[in-house]
Amino acid sequence: GTQSTSSTPGSGSPTQAQAEAPKGPTCDQLAVALSLEDNGRKIQLDNTGKLIGLEELPEASRSLVRSVLANKTLSKPELLDKLTAPSITLMDPTARENTFGLLGPSGTVIATDRPNLRWQALAGASSYTVSVFDADFNRVTRSAPQTATQWTSPALRRGMIYSWEVVAVRNGQEVRSPVAPAPRAQFKILEADKLLELINLKKHRPISHLTLGLTYARFGLLAEAEGQLQTLARENPNSPVATRLLRTVQ
């Protein structure tokens, strides 16, 4: 009966009837190369490379999902290689007497044009001043001296790359971060058209964590991509693909 054919593994060639069957109720009999749960729906890639599910999304989004699932890998946006970031080392307080690190954003793309810049406290510092520079190292904005270890910048220009530094004052002396030879802390502000694409993707219900995660990753928004792909990996505990995608952005 039909019982035996459906329970045998899909390695055998499909019977003539299946091969000629129009797509429809027999869809599940086609060998599925990959299947993922995505926020209560099933997304599948069949052996011909056809994406099943997400029909409501724009073609650009579907083709991104299709290519990533077909290759089972996510390529790193080239832009991120250009964005430098000082490495954050959480040292013990005694070693940190004369240095402090920037927590971020650095080495990433961000969606907001008013970044919240965060850094570690420097023991004994009386104030911190943040400066933001454009790609030509011209200072575009600077905070007033303050005691907090974060500062939200006024609006910056979309699509541009910026770098930033913090100068702490302690006992009348300036301590700067990052300090050479550490690289500059750079971030890029997402272009307006890409922001719009993300806003439109989020309007589709239920939200596709897969599509949103891959789109964030393609645009270089790593923290957001990680959040979406973490949800996807939780929904697909036995899927090596979901795990691999998450690892890529981590």
Side-chain angles (χ1 to χ4, degrees), residues 77 79-80 107-110 190 215-224:
L79 166 79
L80 292 183
T108 188
V109 180
I110 55 174
L190 191 67
T215 308
Y216 276 135
R218 193 185 75 191
F219 292 165
L221 290 100
L222 297 182
E224 290 88 339

Side-chain angles (χ1 to χ4, degrees), residues 4-205:
S4 57
T5 53
S6 60
S7 61
T8 53
S11 55
S13 58
T15 61
Q16 205 56 34
Q18 279 176 321
E20 285 170 11
K23 59 181 196 290
T26 54
C27 217
D28 56 332
Q29 294 172 322
L30 274 174
V32 171
L34 187 72
S35 178
L36 287 170
E37 294 293 327
D38 183 6
N39 204 2
R41 69 184 132 194
K42 211 179 254 317
I43 295 168
Q44 298 179 317
L45 195 70
D46 73 14
N47 275 345
T48 65
K50 180 170 171 288
L51 184 67
I52 303 159
L54 302 177
E55 278 75 20
E56 74 281 11
L57 295 185
E59 186 45 45
S61 302
R62 286 175 53 83
S63 69
L64 171 67
V65 171
R66 195 182 302 120
S67 74
V68 170
L69 293 185
N71 301 322
K72 297 189 176 54
T73 173
L74 188 55
S75 53
K76 180 182 175 185
E78 283 169 30
L79 166 79
L80 292 183
D81 291 329
K82 289 192 201 134
L83 294 179
T84 61
S87 61
I88 298 172
T89 43
L90 291 163
M91 296 171 287
D92 63 277
T94 51
R96 211 165 67 218
E97 276 170 21
N98 297 310
T99 63
F100 64 105
L102 304 186
L103 298 175
S106 64
T108 188
V109 180
I110 55 174
T112 174
D113 59 356
R114 297 171 184 269
N116 177 248
L117 308 167
R118 305 176 321 281
W119 57 94
Q120 295 172 336
L122 173 72
S126 54
S127 75
Y128 302 95
T129 304
V130 190
S131 298
V132 179
F133 305 89
D134 65 15
D136 299 318
F137 309 124
N138 302 310
R139 181 160 54 215
V140 291
T141 183
R142 174 161 54 171
S143 74
Q146 55 163 39
T147 53
T149 53
Q150 58 173 317
W151 179 69
T152 300
S153 144
L156 299 170
R157 285 176 56 196
R158 291 206 163 273
M160 306 295 275
I161 291 175
Y162 293 94
S163 63
W164 60 290
E165 65 171 32
V166 180
V167 175
V169 174
R170 184 180 58 189
N171 306 333
Q173 300 229 295
E174 291 191 346
V175 182
R176 194 175 297 268
S177 180
V179 63
R184 306 175 71 79
Q186 292 182 313
F187 58 84
K188 179 181 174 178
I189 297 186
L190 191 67
E191 294 86 345
D193 57 332
K194 292 180 176 172
L195 181 68
L196 191 63
E197 194 177 318
L198 286 168
I199 289 170
N200 288 334
L201 263 185
K202 287 182 194 167
K203 285 182 183 158
H204 290 282
R205 291 284 180 269

